[in-house]
Amino acid sequence: MWLSKRKFLLGALVLGLGACGFTPVYGPQGTGNRLLGRIALEAPKTPNDYAFNARFEERMGRASSGPYLLSVKKTVDQQDLGSTSTGNTTRYRLLGRASYSLTDAGTKAVLIEGQTDGFTGYSTTGSTVATLAAERAAEQRLMVILADQVIDKLILQATDLPE
């Protein structure tokens, strides 16, 4: 009995989404296809730029030139999060912010701009080499988080872009 109610509710939800004009973002009329392979990124200058660009191109495709250019300014701040009774820090939190602007490659007009925030952390309880590796891995995770959020925001606002 419980399973049949669940199937009914799921079916009603699917029908309700179809009736309200819901379109999958990567479907035939979805706004995600409008951006795939059409956004060129600035060349990476730092390891964080490289990690951000790699994730962005993994999801959106590579475009060495296209109708859009994405400029992203990334900042990363580090906070002490945990410490021992002797005052040694054992955990750090990385707070990241990506301020972005999508411009028309031809006219240089800003089409979409915004910012997004994310955080991640790492432990310092291992050796110096392990701590440095954990810090780098945390920075890479943070860049993936920021890239995913920028992509999501661009896709949501893609309906406002000129054809």
Side-chain angles (χ1 to χ4, degrees):
M1 180 126 177
W2 176 77
L3 188 58
S4 64
K5 286 182 183 179
R6 191 172 179 186
K7 285 182 183 178
F8 174 75
L9 288 174
L10 185 59
L13 178 65
V14 169
L15 288 175
L17 286 176
C20 75
F22 173 77
T23 303
V25 73
Y26 292 115
Q29 281 84 30
T31 57
N33 290 334
R34 188 180 292 185
L35 298 177
L36 285 177
R38 301 182 72 200
I39 300 175
L41 299 170
E42 295 177 336
K45 297 177 181 113
T46 67
N48 284 345
D49 292 343
Y50 181 81
F52 182 93
N53 288 6
R55 177 59 177 177
F56 194 92
E57 289 176 350
E58 180 183 323
R59 284 194 54 200
M60 298 301 290
R62 178 175 289 203
S64 56
S65 64
Y68 306 116
L69 175 64
L70 183 68
S71 300
V72 184
K73 181 183 175 208
K74 296 169 281 303
T75 59
V76 177
D77 294 319
Q78 184 171 289
Q79 292 180 335
D80 297 352
L81 196 57
S83 60
T84 63
S85 60
T86 61
N88 294 332
T89 302
T90 59
R91 187 147 185 87
Y92 287 98
R93 178 185 320 177
L94 297 179
L95 302 171
R97 170 167 286 164
S99 300
Y100 61 92
S101 64
L102 185 72
T103 58
D104 185 294
T107 65
K108 305 297 185 216
V110 175
L111 303 171
I112 299 173
E113 60 185 350
Q115 70 180 25
T116 186
D117 301 303
F119 71 93
T120 188
Y122 67 96
S123 176
T124 64
T125 57
S127 66
T128 303
V129 172
T131 298
L132 290 173
E135 180 180 11
R136 184 67 198 128
E139 287 177 353
Q140 288 178 342
R141 286 193 311 273
L142 182 59
M143 292 302 114
V144 167
I145 290 167
L146 293 175
D148 285 342
Q149 290 179 354
V150 168
I151 290 167
D152 293 345
K153 288 185 175 204
L154 289 174
I155 288 172
L156 289 173
Q157 296 175 340
T159 56
D160 300 336
L161 294 175
E163 290 286 335

